Amino acid sequence: MDLSTKYLGFTLPHPFMMGSSPLADDLDMVRRLEDAGTAAIVLRSLFEEQIVSEEMLTHDAMDRASDVSAEATYFFPRSSDFAFGPSDYLEHLRKIKSAVGVPVFASLNGIRLDRCVDYALQIEQAGADALELNLYFMATRPEQPGSELEDLSLDTVRAMRAALRIPIAVKISPFYTSILHFARSLDQAGANGVILFNRFYQPDIDIDGLEMRRELRLSDSSELLMRIHWLALVHGQVTCSLGVTGGVHTSSDAIKAIMTGASAVQMVSAIFRQGPTIVAKVREEVSHWLEAHEYESLGQLLGSMNFTHTTDPSAYERANYMHVLRSWKESLR
Ligand SMILES: Cc1cc2nc3c(=O)[nH]c(=O)nc-3n(C[C@H](O)[C@H](O)[C@H](O)COP(=O)(O)O)c2cc1C
């Protein structure tokens, strides 16, 4: 079965790959993932704050600030708490590049990533095949309109695009008023791919200890539903590639993501739970499913369930919503 896919300009043998995470911190794990057939490796993100602080030669100052300052830096972990500083990150990237043959993508996380263009150039020089930009922010000031945050993101993409030769993928959150418009703007600003969706940090509260609980929970398949909904809407409306991250645990999840338009299917929680061989399992099962359903290639499946076949997606959406509310009794049976 031809499972090949085009993603960020690469022709990959199939769409299944490890997503950005500390899984790539360990060279042995990276080799195991390659043996399991991952189509690419995505490194964990380096944070804008780490890069900017090093550029200001205040690597230690950030630590000092975290002891004495009431400013925002107070909240940041100490530089020694990060697995990699900016120079270690480049070194690790070089090591991974020489250890594996699959494309290796680096990742940056921030709000004002346009401040990190010089560092992104070093990432390119260190051999990254592409760069993921994880645009991670929460609008917490009432005077800050959403459009301002979107403009910051678009400025970042334009600045990175002007400086870099490697492809750029932008990992976005679901919290935009018009995801379709924003995805299209990213595309027009020069992004080669958009990845739906970031999982946001959702703190819990310890009601006895009166403390915030910072826990990172792994996903399950239910998180995929929001993603396939939006993939189906965005696919066909942008020229860049689409990737999915969040909630892919089984071959059925992967098939749904591809049907709705994902040409790259990233997995993290599934690999944490089941180990690298889940990548091979999903790939094999998707191949069997395609054969059993008489598809000639994965390309034939890609985007086949997108919304471009619907004349009025908005009316269709509302009609479905009304339908679901009317049929709640059967749904809960
Ligand atoms: C332990 C852990 C660390 C992660 N670190 C990063 C990161 O550094 N950068 C990033 O873009 N995403 C990071 N993610 C998010 C994943 O790339 C992915 O988007 C998210 O886990 C949803 O996919 P999943 O359902 O397959 O886990 C991390 C996820 C986990 C579980």
Side-chain angles (χ1 to χ4, degrees):
M1 176 58 64
D2 173 12
L3 297 180
S4 64
T5 185
K6 281 209 160 56
Y7 178 60
L8 309 181
F10 298 99
T11 300
L12 302 174
H14 62 81
F16 315 112
M17 63 180 72
M18 186 209 75
S20 175
S21 67
L23 284 161
D25 290 1
D26 175 29
L27 270 184
D28 187 46
M29 172 56 91
V30 169
R31 288 197 187 98
R32 285 173 59 204
L33 278 155
E34 186 179 40
D35 291 344
T38 185
I41 301 280
V42 190
L43 268 60
R44 69 153 78 208
S45 308
L46 198 71
F47 290 86
E48 176 191 332
E49 292 81 358
Q50 291 177 273
I51 299 163
V52 172
S53 80
E54 186 165 281
E55 277 175 2
M56 290 161 67
L57 291 175
T58 53
H59 207 53
D60 294 329
M62 192 161 96
D63 288 348
R64 280 199 300 277
S66 67
D67 289 332
V68 298
S69 166
E71 309 231 337
T73 48
Y74 173 78
F75 299 109
F76 295 134
R78 290 164 177 272
S79 50
S80 55
D81 290 342
F82 291 106
F84 298 109
S87 14
D88 311 323
Y89 192 86
L90 296 175
E91 193 45 42
H92 188 64
L93 170 60
R94 284 188 202 100
K95 278 191 193 145
I96 293 190
K97 272 300 290 175
S98 51
V100 295
V102 292
V104 177
F105 305 158
S107 169
L108 294 177
N109 177 312
I111 301 170
R112 292 278 322 272
L113 283 172
D114 54 333
R115 301 193 296 179
C116 304
V117 170
D118 287 346
Y119 187 76
L121 275 166
Q122 293 180 56
I123 283 183
E124 181 175 89
Q125 281 152 15
D129 295 288
L131 178 64
E132 275 191 13
L133 302 175
N134 184 339
L135 300 176
Y136 193 111
F137 46 69
M138 278 283 186
T140 49
R141 287 191 287 117
E143 67 277 14
Q144 189 167 40
S147 55
E148 189 182 308
L149 290 167
E150 290 187 15
D151 288 345
L152 275 179
S153 305
L154 296 173
D155 286 347
T156 287
V157 174
R158 282 188 209 100
M160 291 285 182
R161 184 64 290 145
L164 301 180
R165 278 178 305 185
I166 54 174
I168 299 166
V170 185
K171 188 165 171 178
I172 63 170
S173 83
F175 305 118
Y176 293 92
T177 310
S178 174
I179 289 175
L180 207 44
H181 180 265
F182 186 53
R184 190 177 268 189
S185 305
L186 289 169
D187 186 22
Q188 287 165 352
N192 304 88
V194 175
I195 307 170
L196 312 181
F197 287 122
N198 230 332
R199 273 176 95 221
F200 257 83
Y201 156 61
Q202 293 179 320
D204 201 349
I205 296 176
D206 172 351
I207 58 170
D208 294 317
L210 297 181
E211 279 176 350
M212 302 301 284
R213 267 206 210 129
R214 298 189 191 114
E215 280 170 10
L216 197 150
R217 294 200 187 101
L218 296 178
S219 72
D220 58 47
S221 295
S222 66
E223 294 198 22
L224 182 70
L225 299 182
M226 177 177 60
R227 277 124 179 126
I228 58 174
H229 188 170
W230 284 105
L231 277 166
L233 277 157
V234 178
H235 187 257
Q237 306 289 351
V238 290
T239 58
C240 66
S241 337
L242 295 177
V244 68
T245 180
V248 177
H249 289 258
T250 64
S251 51
S252 311
D253 297 336
I255 291 165
K256 292 175 199 172
I258 297 162
M259 275 179 169
T260 47
S263 49
V265 176
Q266 301 192 341
M267 288 180 273
V268 173
S269 296
I271 300 175
F272 269 111
R273 286 220 180 88
Q274 303 182 58
T277 52
I278 185 65
V279 179
K281 185 167 183 262
V282 165
R283 172 182 165 177
E284 213 169 293
E285 288 180 6
V286 170
S287 179
H288 289 153
W289 187 92
L290 288 167
E291 264 163 40
H293 291 78
E294 298 180 359
Y295 283 87
E296 277 161 22
S297 66
L298 184 133
Q300 213 184 349
L301 180 72
L302 182 68
S304 55
M305 290 284 282
N306 74 17
F307 268 76
T308 52
H309 312 291
T310 313
T311 42
D312 187 346
S314 172
Y316 181 71
E317 285 273 303
R318 287 196 57 76
N320 277 341
Y321 182 53
M322 287 153 74
H323 228 62
V324 166
L325 292 187
R326 280 214 336 251
S327 61
W328 65 275
K329 277 189 187 149
E330 291 103 84
S331 305
L332 296 181
R333 228 174 251 150

